[in-house]
Amino acid sequence: MDSGKLHISVPVSRNRVISKLPKWYTPESCLQFKEDFHGKVKGACQNRHTRSGGLNISKVVVVGDLYVGKTCLINRFCKDVFDRDYKATIGVDFEIERFEIAGVPHTLQIWDTAGQEKFKCIASAYYRGAQVIVTVFDLADIKTLEHTRQWLQDALKENENTSPNIFLVGTKRDLLSPAECERTENDAIRIASEMQAEYWSVSAKTGQNVQEFFFRMAALAFEESMLRELENSSLSTARIGEANVIRIDENAEAPQSKRTAEPGLGCC
Amino acid sequence: MAERALRIPERIEEITEPEELERLYQQLCEEERTVEAELESFVNQKGSIAAKMIALQRMGPNLQLIEGDASQLSGMIKFTCNLAENVSSKVRQLDLAKNRIYQAIQRADDILDLKFCMDGVQTALRNEDYEQAAAHVHRYLSLDQSVIELSRQGGEDSMLDTNLSLLQEAEQHLKVIVAEKLDQAIKEGDLPQVERFFKIFPLLGLHEEGLGRFSQYLCTQLASKAAQNLQLAMGVELSEARAALVFADTLTLLFEGIARVVETHQPIVETYYGPGRLYTLIKHLQVECDRQAEKVVDKFIERRTYHRKFQVVQNNMMRNSSERIEPRELDPILTEVTLMNARAELYLRFLRRRITSDFEVADSAAPEGITQEHQKSLEKLLNDCLLSRNMQELIGYYITMEEYFMKETVNKAVAMDTYEKGQLTSSMVDDCFYIVKKCIGRALSSSSIDCLCAMINHATSVLESDFREVLFNKLRQGFPATTLQDIQRGVSSAVSLMQSSLQQGKFDTKGIESSEEAKTSFLVTLNNVEVCSENIMTLKRTLENDCAKLFSQGSGKGDQARAKIDSCLSDLVAVSSKFKDLLQEGLTELNTTAIKPQVKPWITSLLSISHNIEEEEFNEYEANDPWVQQFIVSLEQLTTEFKAGLSSVIYDNLTSLITSLIATELEKTVFKSIFSRLGGLQFDKELRSLIAYLTTITTWTIRDKFARLTQMATILNLERVTEILDYWGPNSGPLTWRLTPAEVRQVLALRIDFRSEDIKRLRL
Ligand SMILES: Nc1nc2c(ncn2[C@@H]2O[C@H](COP(=O)(O)OP(=O)(O)OP(=O)(O)O)[C@@H](O)[C@H]2O)c(=O)[nH]1
Ligand SMILES: [Mg+2]
């Protein structure tokens, strides 16, 4: 498909430029310890101008209980505003953020889902095809942390064939004393490692860690998508001219194993 | 210069060198000359300066005259100025006086009015002429309060005081009466009286109260009509035409009723209450609308067992229930829900339009803050009303049920897949897309963008996972290679096979049939895959158009909604290319496992035909073609079968693969043969026939694929080794060589009559 279609070439605003891989929040719960982008990705970025440009969009789905502050978190980052009044999200909301990462344009499509039970049917229809899942809880309301497991499970069910990047985010950090915060963070980090998620504490009210978090997420999503694209393009060149590599037989790989490098019907 | 003049006498004794002395002397002489020249020029100017002095002296008396004139002028100006100041201060005083007079007149008028009001209100009240009374009170209320204060301070205070308090009393009295009368008229349902008193409220400054009471009247009317409609709806027989949509219809009646009320009464409100009041009226009406709509929704949920059905569906989806629900059973209810939502959206859009334009008139000169405040309260009214919330809930359930409906029905269509001879595709493709279109179409008809996007996402999932999986699995079974022998031998050999089997006493038709079936199934699946990818694109285009229509009607929140749709549609398109990939892979599979093993021996059989030939054999070949004719016939047989079974697009793709295969294999074979001069000519003829034939079976240009072979044939046809230079390098003309120099040498070496020294010596 013409993946460039959604990428309207509006110049990326100056405060959305990421040149180095941003750092994690806490090493106890972190998806990537590298200091910089994957070598292959950096290489690809440098001779980007020779490429037609691949899938430069990542879909981000934000889930979590009602009132935990999903919408506020997104609005703080995208619009730099904070609203004290609670306005429940109806169904889903949607924001687009354009970045320039390592010199390459990349777009985050952020789907803000509603936490209210009655919107679950509608919101869950948007989980599929996510490259990033952000599960959000309220640091000041411990039961919302427990619920993140269920939220993640629901979101992952719609993404069985891919393995999205997962983030666990605690909000409203400004409401807690440092001691309280540390206690809750310890619990959260434990759950995050069970989930294989990266953990972040933020406050939409003060803006603390909000930009850092989004930059980190954007950069990791970008790297993923570049690696995937590189993998795909090497697959498709392998296919051209070497027709006999492709073989369909009863023992062929099941389609679930998406990351196996073996070409075949299962690879798409 | 001054510095030098000072320094010279000081140092003059110190100067010992005659050169130095000489130099200084020269310098002094120089200076003397300059000074002399200057003096000269001053002396020369003396004459002209004297003349100027004389002229000045002559001007003296004139200047005295001017001075006299000037002082006279100044005196005149001073006088005029004083005069003007005097006049203007008088004008100012006059102005002030005039203003005071106006104010006095105004005040006198006001006082007269006040008196008139005092008298008038009493009379009007006595005569039950409430309009007149209200008009008097209105006049009183719009009087400047300071006038009244001032009047009090005037002489006749006691008199005025009593009158004023009488007037205030009358005002209170009137308020009570009007309220009572309006309530009574409402109770009696007496519309003319209701309207009569409704119009009086704004005169008394009671806009909100008037609108409140009036809406109460309207709400009662709405409620009784709604109750009646619901009653009727409950009595509708199942057999009646619109029985399946009865709740949507009842809701529609309710909305239409409210719209009519708004239409009818907006003019009075605007005329008597001014613009910007419609919001208040509608806010009151919406409360009743919410109440009545909820009743309809509740009945709908109860009668259609909506929640129960949802529960069953949900359990089914989670695979933890044995209780199944037929998708067919859900069909009507899903249609009804989307219609209900569409009606609600339409109604809310109507309200939005009306209130917005009313605010626009009222706020045309208002500050930004007020406009925003109004906009905010409008959003709140429309988004947070119970009606919206009820609809959101219904749509939430709807989406899950629609997803279930789509999944189940698609699975059923797959299970009941049939293939009719002569058709390219089987029934499941058309059936599945019919279902997917139906479900998305239904979601679209709800007018809710979120709902539509959600269904597009579910459809994408179903097509990608459920449906593509089925096709993928069918292709994975492969194209049965064994049957190809049967194809090749044609029907007659199949008959002989049958006979031989019969002779052996065991005739297994099943083997032939099932592999025949497997073969058809593979080709049909390829066609199915292609049609799917096409259908998805068509579906996407249709949806784009439909959405454009929806947006032009003012649904959704503009850009954001558009971006949502775009995103969902591009996910859908991605699935189309996955189908395309699947097709390519299926074709490659067909080519490698079924076609290649057949075609390859036909080509390698060329090796057994000697191309190291002389005149006699060449003529013999001419009369009796040794290879290419048979090869073409075999190819024809092979491709005919596929041509009938595959869509033209796929067949084209396949023939393209086949021609590539032939080109590669033939090249390999040629490199294994040896050629004489005439053998080369023979090969050239053979290649030409082959290319001519292949051109007829494919719409792709095959010249390119055979370019290397054609060039090899050219080389094999050369008279002498060096003749190649006539075609090589600068002499190549329009020809682009596809062979490397090494390959050219390799081909030349195939000619047994070319000496390898000559080839080695060749400069390429
Ligand atoms: N003190 C503080 N309050 C916050 C913060 N983030 C959000 N809130 C408040 O929490 C409430 C809920 O925030 P939302 O962002 O609307 O919650 P949500 O998760 O989007 O809720 P749903 O849309 O219903 O799922 C609001 O009243 C916010 O003002 C924060 O960082 N600090
Ligand atoms: Mg929200």
Side-chain angles (χ1 to χ4, degrees):
Chain A
M1 97 187 207
D2 177 14
S3 54
K5 187 183 153 266
L6 261 176
H7 170 68
I8 311 138
S9 55
V10 177
V12 173
S13 96
R14 198 98 67 69
N15 55 2
R16 291 288 181 265
V17 175
I18 304 174
S19 46
K20 276 183 64 78
L21 185 65
K23 239 181 146 61
W24 54 82
Y25 173 73
T26 156
E28 281 119 345
S29 157
C30 165
L31 293 176
Q32 284 289 350
F33 283 107
K34 295 185 314 247
E35 293 286 340
D36 204 352
F37 291 111
H38 194 292
K40 268 202 262 177
V41 171
K42 278 207 291 189
C45 291
Q46 268 148 26
N47 46 35
R48 184 73 185 181
H49 47 97
T50 57
R51 311 170 60 88
S52 58
L55 210 63
N56 46 18
I57 292 180
S58 298
K59 177 172 172 179
V60 181
V61 175
V62 184
V63 296
D65 279 4
L66 75 151
Y67 203 72
V68 296
K70 301 180 289 299
T71 305
C72 286
L73 175 64
I74 293 166
N75 284 346
R76 167 58 80 197
F77 180 69
C78 296
K79 305 177 189 151
D80 200 23
V81 294
F82 176 74
D83 190 352
R84 190 175 297 278
D85 299 334
Y86 172 55
K87 273 196 234 85
T89 304
I90 295 168
V92 278
D93 268 331
F94 177 76
E95 289 293 339
I96 284 185
E97 273 299 321
R98 296 195 176 79
F99 291 86
E100 188 187 301
I101 307 176
V104 180
H106 191 81
T107 302
L108 281 193
Q109 222 179 54
I110 305 168
W111 293 85
D112 174 17
T113 65
Q116 279 185 45
E117 179 65 29
K118 68 173 173 188
F119 293 122
K120 215 158 173 183
C121 294
I122 195 160
S124 60
Y126 292 84
Y127 293 165
R128 71 178 300 284
Q131 273 88 43
V132 179
I133 298 172
V134 182
T135 44
V136 183
F137 71 98
D138 180 348
L139 281 163
D141 182 355
I142 204 74
K143 75 171 185 308
T144 63
L145 173 60
E146 280 151 30
H147 294 163
T148 54
R149 283 203 186 88
Q150 185 61 44
W151 282 109
L152 179 67
Q153 195 187 325
D154 290 348
L156 280 177
K157 210 172 71 198
E158 301 296 324
N159 290 287
E160 276 167 347
N161 299 333
T162 55
S163 43
N165 272 335
I166 303 162
F167 291 87
L168 179 65
V169 176
T171 57
K172 310 194 190 177
R173 189 176 167 161
D174 56 285
L175 294 179
L176 279 80
S177 70
E180 281 176 306
C181 184
E182 200 186 315
R183 216 169 324 127
T184 314
E185 266 190 10
N186 284 338
D187 292 343
I189 288 169
R190 194 168 34 75
I191 292 187
S193 51
E194 273 172 39
M195 289 176 168
Q196 293 180 299
E198 180 165 313
Y199 177 72
W200 282 78
S201 282
V202 301
S203 164
K205 191 173 174 196
T206 66
Q208 189 188 11
N209 288 337
V210 172
Q211 166 145 337
E212 289 83 345
F213 163 63
F214 274 95
F215 273 29
R216 170 89 174 153
M217 166 173 82
L220 289 180
F222 163 77
E223 185 175 46
E224 273 276 316
S225 102
M226 287 294 280
L227 284 174
R228 201 165 37 236
E229 191 196 332
L230 289 171
E231 189 179 305
N232 281 344
S233 63
S234 66
L235 275 188
S236 57
T237 44
R239 201 151 57 204
I240 295 163
E242 264 199 273
N244 22 5
V245 179
I246 288 141
R247 190 159 293 280
I248 309 172
D249 51 47
E250 302 296 329
N251 318 327
E253 282 280 348
Q256 281 91 322
S257 51
K258 80 128 197 179
R259 293 265 160 101
T260 52
E262 221 164 294
L265 280 181
C267 73
C268 34
Chain B
M1 193 153 137
E3 191 185 2
R4 222 185 308 153
L6 270 176
R7 272 209 322 256
I8 294 165
E10 264 176 13
R11 290 174 54 205
I12 201 132
E13 298 86 25
E14 294 165 25
I15 295 166
T16 47
E17 299 297 318
E19 289 89 355
E20 178 78 344
L21 209 57
E22 179 75 12
R23 205 180 52 78
L24 274 175
Y25 172 69
Q26 286 296 331
Q27 209 175 322
L28 284 173
C29 289
E30 188 76 12
E31 274 168 28
E32 188 185 355
R33 265 196 299 280
T34 331
V35 172
E36 241 161 47
E38 268 173 33
L39 278 176
E40 186 77 9
S41 88
F42 285 141
V43 171
N44 285 346
Q45 279 171 23
K46 189 194 158 198
S48 79
I49 291 175
K52 274 180 195 161
M53 286 306 288
I54 292 167
L56 273 176
Q57 266 158 14
R58 253 184 243 137
M59 271 181 210
N62 275 347
L63 274 177
Q64 267 157 14
L65 219 70
I66 290 174
E67 199 202 344
D69 284 358
S71 71
Q72 204 176 339
L73 184 61
S74 143
M76 265 156 77
I77 289 173
K78 211 171 279 169
F79 175 74
T80 316
C81 178
N82 281 341
L83 194 67
E85 215 139 87
N86 277 344
V87 171
S88 86
S89 88
K90 280 190 184 129
V91 168
R92 262 200 300 273
Q93 275 170 12
L94 270 177
D95 223 26
L96 199 65
K98 192 183 83 182
N99 267 346
R100 293 220 175 114
I101 290 169
Y102 276 146
Q103 275 174 5
I105 294 174
Q106 175 82 40
R107 199 155 295 168
D109 271 355
D110 284 353
I111 292 172
L112 280 178
D113 269 2
L114 198 58
K115 287 218 167 103
F116 180 62
C117 288
M118 291 176 210
D119 299 341
V121 94
Q122 300 295 342
T123 331
L125 274 179
R126 257 198 310 282
N127 297 343
E128 299 195 356
D129 185 351
Y130 301 112
E131 283 81 0
Q132 192 58 50
H136 287 310
V137 172
H138 182 67
R139 174 79 187 104
Y140 155 64
L141 289 176
S142 55
L143 284 183
D144 194 346
Q145 287 304 308
S146 64
V147 172
I148 298 166
E149 278 310 305
L150 273 173
S151 313
R152 264 189 197 167
Q153 288 159 11
E156 33 174 350
D157 34 343
S158 65
M159 176 61 182
L160 197 73
D161 258 358
T162 22
N163 273 343
L164 261 180
S165 63
L166 272 177
L167 192 50
Q168 274 157 0
E169 221 170 82
E171 181 197 343
Q172 294 310 322
H173 186 47
L174 187 59
K175 280 182 181 170
V176 174
I177 292 180
V178 171
E180 271 173 7
K181 290 275 181 191
L182 182 56
D183 283 351
Q184 194 188 345
I186 287 173
K187 207 180 289 156
E188 286 164 7
D190 183 350
L191 183 60
Q193 286 297 311
V194 170
E195 289 192 351
R196 179 184 168 197
F197 290 105
F198 173 59
K199 290 173 192 167
I200 293 176
F201 276 82
L203 293 176
L204 303 176
L206 299 173
H207 295 82
E208 291 292 312
E209 198 184 334
L211 284 170
R213 284 177 196 261
F214 186 55
S215 327
Q216 215 182 336
Y217 163 72
L218 297 175
C219 288
T220 342
Q221 305 284 97
L222 285 175
S224 76
K225 189 75 194 149
Q228 229 173 309
N229 285 336
L230 190 57
Q231 193 71 37
L232 278 176
M234 302 319 296
V236 164
E237 295 289 327
L238 275 175
S239 56
E240 281 178 43
R242 291 187 66 86
L245 294 173
V246 76
F247 292 103
D249 286 349
T250 312
L251 214 49
T252 312
L253 287 177
L254 173 66
F255 296 147
E256 282 173 353
I258 298 173
R260 214 173 303 122
V261 164
V262 172
E263 296 258 305
T264 332
H265 297 288
Q266 192 178 4
I268 311 199
V269 174
E270 231 172 61
T271 318
Y272 293 92
Y273 284 69
R277 301 279 178 181
L278 192 62
Y279 168 78
T280 315
L281 180 73
I282 288 178
K283 199 174 78 186
H284 287 296
L285 295 183
Q286 189 53 38
V287 176
E288 191 60 38
C289 174
D290 284 345
R291 201 177 302 143
Q292 296 306 329
E294 184 162 51
K295 280 187 192 160
V296 178
V297 169
D298 283 349
K299 272 280 177 261
F300 164 80
I301 290 172
E302 179 199 315
R303 285 286 169 104
R304 308 285 199 227
T305 58
Y306 194 62
H307 286 167
R308 158 122 199 86
K309 287 194 173 90
F310 170 74
Q311 212 57 53
V312 175
V313 163
Q314 202 175 34
N315 291 342
N316 261 312
M317 302 268 275
M318 304 217 220
R319 293 178 190 80
N320 57 8
S321 153
S322 56
E323 188 186 1
R324 308 223 32 101
I325 185 162
E326 269 297 307
R328 200 161 6 98
E329 240 182 274
L330 294 175
D331 203 26
I333 199 174
L334 294 178
T335 309
E336 192 175 17
V337 170
T338 49
L339 189 60
M340 285 164 82
N341 193 67
R343 294 298 190 237
E345 294 252 348
L346 188 67
Y347 163 75
L348 291 172
R349 277 209 300 277
F350 166 81
L351 295 190
R352 177 186 297 278
R353 231 179 15 249
R354 283 303 166 98
I355 297 176
T356 308
S357 54
D358 187 46
F359 271 148
E360 264 167 21
V361 176
D363 295 350
S364 57
E368 180 74 4
I370 300 273
T371 324
Q372 265 173 10
E373 196 55 42
H374 282 163
Q375 187 58 34
K376 227 175 174 173
S377 37
L378 170 63
E379 293 302 329
K380 195 167 151 49
L381 171 66
L382 298 184
N383 294 337
D384 296 356
C385 65
L386 188 63
L387 173 66
S388 290
R389 278 183 280 142
N390 270 323
M391 286 301 146
Q392 284 154 9
E393 210 156 295
L394 287 185
I395 285 295
Y397 292 149
Y398 157 79
I399 286 172
T400 305
M401 290 199 258
E402 187 76 278
E403 183 195 2
Y404 174 81
F405 178 87
M406 180 163 68
K407 262 194 155 133
E408 288 291 304
T409 328
V410 163
N411 286 339
K412 200 172 274 180
V414 168
M416 294 181 7
D417 187 34
T418 54
Y419 163 71
E420 271 180 45
K421 247 191 156 28
Q423 297 283 311
L424 289 176
T425 55
S426 66
S427 67
M428 70 176 171
V429 178
D430 279 354
D431 290 353
C432 282
F433 276 89
Y434 172 78
I435 295 156
V436 168
K437 268 188 266 180
K438 173 176 174 160
C439 294
I440 295 183
R442 191 147 55 193
L444 178 77
S445 76
S446 77
S447 305
S448 154
I449 298 290
D450 279 351
C451 170
L452 173 62
C453 285
M455 270 330 283
I456 295 177
N457 285 344
H458 282 316
T460 306
S461 278
V462 165
L463 288 173
E464 183 181 344
S465 316
D466 301 50
F467 197 53
R468 188 177 159 284
E469 199 79 339
V470 170
L471 297 175
F472 168 78
N473 283 332
K474 281 191 190 259
L475 286 184
R476 214 166 60 162
Q477 284 162 11
F479 191 85
T482 50
T483 341
L484 272 152
Q485 274 78 40
D486 303 336
I487 300 170
Q488 188 194 350
R489 285 189 217 111
V491 181
S492 63
S493 47
V495 171
S496 72
L497 181 83
M498 211 154 73
Q499 280 167 346
S500 68
S501 312
L502 273 173
Q503 276 159 12
Q504 286 166 19
K506 42 179 177 174
F507 178 49
D508 188 10
T509 45
K510 199 160 169 282
I512 296 175
E513 257 172 34
S514 66
S515 61
E516 185 72 16
E517 258 170 32
K519 191 193 70 186
T520 315
S521 155
F522 189 90
L523 297 185
V524 166
T525 307
L526 280 184
N527 292 327
N528 284 351
V529 171
E530 194 230 347
V531 172
C532 281
S533 100
E534 283 305 309
N535 282 357
I536 291 173
M537 293 312 289
T538 317
L539 180 61
K540 182 229 169 197
R541 277 191 296 272
T542 325
L543 282 172
E544 265 173 350
N545 286 337
D546 292 344
C547 291
K549 263 183 233 149
L550 200 61
F551 287 131
S552 69
Q553 288 163 11
S555 268
K557 280 180 277 167
D559 289 349
Q560 210 214 25
R562 232 173 274 257
K564 269 186 194 173
I565 292 273
D566 279 351
S567 154
C568 295
L569 285 180
S570 70
D571 282 359
L572 183 65
V573 171
V575 177
S576 166
S577 41
K578 285 185 180 170
F579 275 99
K580 276 199 191 105
D581 293 347
L582 187 58
L583 174 64
Q584 272 317 310
E585 282 156 29
L587 274 175
T588 317
E589 146 74 11
L590 187 62
N591 195 33
T592 22
T593 66
I595 290 171
K596 195 172 173 187
Q598 293 298 307
V599 173
K600 208 172 155 180
W602 296 339
I603 294 172
T604 43
S605 73
L606 182 67
L607 286 174
S608 59
I609 314 297
S610 169
H611 281 69
N612 180 12
I613 50 170
E614 294 310 318
E615 193 78 38
E616 188 188 337
E617 287 138 312
F618 182 74
N619 290 337
E620 163 76 26
Y621 285 171
E622 177 88 60
N624 259 326
D625 179 87
W627 174 73
V628 74
Q629 288 312 323
Q630 183 53 45
F631 182 36
I632 290 173
V633 168
S634 310
L635 278 177
E636 179 72 14
Q637 277 175 345
L638 178 72
T639 52
T640 315
E641 194 75 13
F642 291 118
K643 188 169 187 154
L646 291 171
S647 81
S648 60
V649 176
I650 307 181
Y651 178 69
D652 243 23
N653 255 316
L654 183 66
T655 49
S656 162
L657 287 173
I658 294 178
T659 44
S660 302
L661 173 74
I662 292 174
T664 330
E665 291 301 325
L666 192 53
E667 198 181 308
K668 282 192 221 158
T669 309
V670 168
F671 274 118
K672 286 184 202 150
S673 313
I674 49 168
F675 297 86
S676 62
R677 164 81 183 82
L678 282 174
L681 186 60
Q682 171 70 18
F683 175 66
D684 193 58
K685 275 171 62 186
E686 284 163 338
L687 187 63
R688 280 171 203 277
S689 313
L690 185 60
I691 291 176
Y693 166 70
L694 291 177
T695 309
T696 64
I697 64 163
T698 161
T699 59
W700 304 73
T701 165
I702 62 160
R703 299 256 159 241
D704 206 49
K705 285 186 177 152
F706 280 80
R708 281 168 62 85
L709 273 165
T710 316
Q711 290 170 4
M712 285 163 76
T714 310
I715 296 172
L716 291 174
N717 247 325
L718 295 177
E719 293 277 355
R720 284 165 284 106
V721 174
T722 48
E723 203 188 337
I724 181 74
L725 296 173
D726 296 346
Y727 304 99
W728 191 261
N731 302 326
S732 60
L735 183 75
T736 319
W737 280 94
R738 301 292 182 84
L739 300 173
T740 63
E743 283 169 336
V744 171
R745 283 179 222 278
Q746 213 183 335
V747 177
L748 283 168
L750 297 178
R751 278 282 291 273
I752 49 155
D753 50 338
F754 288 170
R755 297 192 315 164
S756 69
E757 302 94 84
D758 294 342
I759 299 174
K760 276 182 198 152
R761 219 176 290 131
L762 210 54
R763 292 178 159 274
L764 288 175

